[in-house]
Amino acid sequence: MKATTLTWLNDWLRGRGGRRVTGDLFDFLNVTDPREGKDCDGHIQLDPGAFIFPGMALSRASDLLDAARDIVRQAPFRHLVTPGGHRMSVGMTACGEYGWTSDASGYRYTTTQPRNGLPWPVLPELFRSLVEEATAAAGFLCPPLQSGLLNLYRPGTRLSLHQDKDEEDAETPIVSVSLGVAATFLWGGLDRASPTRRLRLSHGDVVVWGGPSRLTFHGVAPLAVSSHPMTGDCRLNLTFRQITKRP
């Protein structure tokens, strides 16, 4: 691991901010702030079965970050390589029964960490309670609690449009939590050619998508140069999934 990587990772683990700079406002041109369209119940419906809950995680953000740092100490972030040999810019790790990995053999979920064969860290109770709350608020009965993926974004990091379809279970919704620097969330349709909306996700926002929207193409535009008092120049995304089919 390069020294520069160690520096920003160690800063994040200690809760110290990185560069203190202002955001690149041009990154958010033509981006919709969900707060402008939220209804009287405080949420935004993107499509049938897909919702944004602005600020749902805000009151517990500090504790969520502390729990995430504990997970990273047990299972450090890695930059995975796609089957085609491309190094992903997002730093990834996981907790719960399953973690996600990628290499020349393909994309898959594993019950142990590829580096050392140890189980993934236990899913924190704080994560569990937030996922249950968000799932219920979106009108779904079963929360996705088998896998919690942690994705770390730095300035310029992006996630291409994709579908989450490596899970055997496509019935249970996905829950996503944004912490730190605001990001531009890309929300498309059920095929790659569908029009894509650009939505700003801020610190504490929660997104849930399932039902007819479960396989919607989505992604994250390159992260703007910015800073947040809790994460420095980074954004942390927590994503929760059900991997195996329910009985």
Side-chain angles (χ1 to χ4, degrees):
M1 186 179 290
K2 295 181 180 179
T4 54
T5 303
L6 280 171
T7 298
W8 66 256
L9 178 57
N10 288 336
D11 282 349
W12 187 81
L13 284 171
R14 289 192 293 266
R16 285 165 34 191
R19 292 173 290 168
R20 291 294 184 264
V21 292
T22 58
D24 181 356
L25 300 180
F26 292 102
D27 181 75
F28 292 114
L29 287 176
N30 302 316
V31 175
T32 300
D33 188 337
R35 288 159 183 76
E36 297 174 359
K38 69 179 180 180
D39 63 18
C40 58
D41 294 324
H43 69 264
I44 303 95
Q45 184 165 5
L46 296 175
D47 281 314
F51 304 88
I52 297 177
F53 298 95
M56 175 178 276
L58 199 56
S59 65
R60 62 202 106 177
S62 179
D63 291 335
L64 289 170
L65 287 168
D66 285 343
R69 291 185 184 99
D70 186 55
I71 290 167
V72 174
R73 292 186 185 99
Q74 300 174 65
F77 287 113
R78 297 183 303 135
H79 289 274
L80 304 179
V81 177
T82 68
H86 173 70
R87 180 180 181 270
M88 295 184 182
S89 61
V90 179
M92 298 184 178
T93 188
C95 61
E97 298 176 52
Y98 293 90
W100 188 79
T101 192
S102 172
D103 55 27
S105 301
Y107 303 110
R108 62 195 180 280
Y109 284 93
T110 64
T111 56
T112 57
Q113 300 178 46
R115 278 179 173 167
N116 53 28
L118 295 175
W120 296 100
V122 174
L123 186 79
E125 184 58 37
L126 182 65
F127 287 9
R128 179 182 296 271
S129 62
L130 176 58
V131 171
E132 291 173 342
E133 178 185 337
T135 302
F140 294 102
L141 296 177
C142 299
L145 295 170
Q146 282 192 318
S147 179
L149 306 184
L150 285 70
N151 296 332
L152 187 65
Y153 294 76
R154 298 198 70 221
T157 299
R158 64 190 294 267
L159 192 62
S160 300
L161 277 178
H162 66 283
Q163 295 171 299
D164 293 327
K165 57 182 182 179
D166 293 325
E167 303 79 17
E168 295 177 8
D169 182 295
E171 304 299 323
T172 306
I174 289 175
V175 175
S176 175
V177 182
S178 293
L179 298 168
V181 171
T184 300
F185 183 54
L186 308 176
W187 182 257
L190 296 178
D191 60 77
R192 193 178 293 275
S194 298
T196 300
R197 282 175 276 175
R198 293 165 58 87
L199 302 147
R200 181 176 177 128
L201 293 181
S202 297
H203 179 64
D205 290 352
V206 177
V207 186
V208 181
W209 65 96
S213 293
R214 172 61 178 76
L215 293 178
T216 295
F217 276 89
H218 59 282
V220 177
L223 193 71
V225 176
S226 187
S227 184
H228 190 277
M230 287 189 176
T231 63
D233 61 3
C234 300
R235 171 187 185 246
L236 180 68
N237 174 236
L238 311 175
T239 306
F240 301 91
R241 297 120 184 270
Q242 173 76 17
I243 310 307
T244 61
K245 289 185 177 180
R246 297 180 184 274

